[in-house]
Amino acid sequence: MRNGLSGYNKPSSSDLDGLRRVLGPQDVSTDRYDLLTNAFDAYPGELHLPDVVVWPETAEEVSLVLRLANEKRIPVYVRGAGTGLAGACVPVYGGIVINTMKMNRILDVRPLDLQVDVQPGVIYDQLNAHLAPYGLFFPPDPGSSKSCTIGGMIANNASGLRAVRYGVTRDYVLSMELVLPSGELLRVGANVFKSSVGYDVVRLIVGSEGTLGVITNATLRLRKLPRHRSTVAAYFDSIEGGVSVINAIRQEGLDPAAIEFLDRIHIELISKHSNVLLPTHECMLILEFHGYSANGVADEVKTAAEILKESGSVQIELPKSSQEEQRIWDARKAMYPSVTRATKAPITGDIIVPLSKLYDTVQKAYDLGKRYGVVVGVAGHLGDGNVHTNWFTEGRDTDSWLRAMKANSELVDYAISVGGAASAEHGIGIEKKDFMRTQHGEGLELMRRIKALFDPEGILNPGVMI
Amino acid sequence: MRNGLSGYNKPSSSDLDGLRRVLGPQDVSTDRYDLLTNAFDAYPGELHLPDVVVWPETAEEVSLVLRLANEKRIPVYVRGAGTGLAGACVPVYGGIVINTMKMNRILDVRPLDLQVDVQPGVIYDQLNAHLAPYGLFFPPDPGSSKSCTIGGMIANNASGLRAVRYGVTRDYVLSMELVLPSGELLRVGANVFKSSVGYDVVRLIVGSEGTLGVITNATLRLRKLPRHRSTVAAYFDSIEGGVSVINAIRQEGLDPAAIEFLDRIHIELISKHSNVLLPTHECMLILEFHGYSANGVADEVKTAAEILKESGSVQIELPKSSQEEQRIWDARKAMYPSVTRATKAPITGDIIVPLSKLYDTVQKAYDLGKRYGVVVGVAGHLGDGNVHTNWFTEGRDTDSWLRAMKANSELVDYAISVGGAASAEHGIGIEKKDFMRTQHGEGLELMRRIKALFDPEGILNPGVMI
């Protein structure tokens, strides 16, 4: 469909000269290597070469790039670190990739306000390292924290294992500077913790996957680092036990900062491929508690341990040192690397369901694995309903890949059918575009009209999400 | 401007017959008394009679009313309990008032999911009374909790004194059924705690003050009631002491569920007009702590008391019984009634600023009071930056009213100038329409385009907000 059927244009050589004049030649590349490294993200499904990659350093440069692209109807894809799992920055129709990695400054920390201003290319872990001396942190914590950018997190409404207590990126963006496809530069939102002053444009942009505008600056709300933390690990000999205890913990009114679930296949892979040996059981839970008071955290851990025992946990670990705690979290972090050592091409699922549907959903994943003859493991941030699956295929071009894709699709349909969502935190991108109709019904038309309002020429991320 | 200049029409007698056919004659009224009681809300500024009031009982009825209004270009205003403080449901151009008070059913509590489905006319206190036996609550807590409706809270993005810990209405709406001005019925959102599946239409509707669509049903996220609560009151002999301690408490990492501030004039009025006698000081703070663990709450209270003392508090009350705690909260709740006994026509301000600007903002309010010769008191949810003011005028048609309006306006401008917002929780309505440009700059055009996209004929709440 590229460069023709959709009416999009390739940048001409005079357009490229124009880009070089605006950005400086060092920030514009048509080098094959640069095109290739900006052609895909962590979604294994598709790869498309852009025509040119640009690295703007200011909002004004972004504005000029968009103005040119809008006039000439050249597609523009915005890219941070390329850690997205759904292909939201893959240049489906070619054109220009705006790479934000040179807009990577932490501009202003305001400790008293619990706020920070950042450029979009700031790396998550670097931001939190910078904030730690102030006793502050930005809570949403994606698995790709070492390399993902704040701009990408905002575009994707990223979250992670602490969302169960602290919420998601959407809850932490107070205001942003936004470049519309026309090149117009706007500041939206206000730097306060609540407001009632018209339409919430900020939260419309968060999670819009680069389809409405380009974020060139954002003010984030921060939280104080918790004074005390404590981790609990618990093992179960049945999936039902491990899953149902999650609801028991939430119904008790405990407020863990993480409720992680790993099933047998993941436990075994971690033991095999990492330097942490875990006891083999049907599943395990890892809980983390945060609080101001050591006594308060200890009380929550004590009750949690009681509930875990009553619910049939066969082994409970209450680490006595931060080294022992770290060991448990190292195991959790070794999960994806271990999976990718077991299969070169896993398909990673990301759905979310109401809490009462957790067990049925996990069971449904196993049933689908059996029906389609694909090995599947369940893991994830089950505490807020977010079920991740890893489908172990025999490679990209195998029949097992197709069967795993089908099984994963059916699981997404199932999640939507029980009131859940096709994606909790990985986004729609290219991967889940076909689920937008099932998810939203007629609401999809409304979203398309919103898209057309912001981007009448359709230059921003065409082929992605909507 | 009504019925003419703006091109809006009054409902004809055949339109009224049409409404009666759709809703039944008992749910359509042109009775003078009904028109008058639906002509204003708690905003003292303006009163406009509608032409007809309707009380639909289903989404389908709402849809048919909107379809008719859209075809005939008759203005439609949606009204809950009429407790709004900014005039957002006042029928500026007449036409139809949709009164939601007959859509007042709590449809489904799902304790395991921590969710409830409600119709828009459900009263806040009634909802929480219904949820209490499940150990659940809906946290946002406006001062009008006895009578305000959930629909109104959503339309206004209402909050209250617990927002500092629990957030605002926007954080608790998972999905909603929405009738667009065309009559189209949509379900938007998903019943899960996080998602990344396209544009966040739900949060665009929250806080849109009835200008985009009519909410006929909503699914709310709930929280477990805290096991333990504890209240602290502290008195100061200087405003600076009372305000600066708020930042000290937040910087310590304490997480109070309420941080309320009352200055001398409010303290004295409460002592005079309620049955609670408070010690007279320059200002007082009321803190509430919530938690799962009694020990944890006690530790937070202990640290808070130390900080209060170090910061110069001259008297600290640590209630020893729930009766003593209740007495303090009764005093807080007596504030507005006491104010309205002191002046028939107070002007109540509602702004929010970054936390580092709290003291300057409070000082600015007093300075403006002096400059304009109006007595002003400061109170409010200062813990999240939300400063309320009460301007004591000599009545609606007096010179002091005009001076208070000017002073309040300047304070709003000041809040915006330091990065804050014209309204934290009362909304824009009629009252603050003129501040939308100052608040949003060019962003206002974008909002107007969003309004036109949802409501091309401009029938929903014309004259309000945008």
Side-chain angles (χ1 to χ4, degrees), chain A residues 265-285:
Chain A
I265 191 167
H266 289 107
I267 293 171
E268 288 178 346
L269 284 174
I270 290 164
S271 291
K272 187 171 171 189
H273 295 294
S274 82
N275 53 6
V276 186
L277 191 69
L278 296 172
T280 301
H281 292 282
E282 280 311 302
C283 63
M284 74 180 287
L285 288 180

Side-chain angles (χ1 to χ4, degrees), chain B residues 85 95 120 205 207 241 382 445 461:
Chain B
L85 285 155
I205 302 300
L382 260 61
E445 305 314 323
N461 273 23

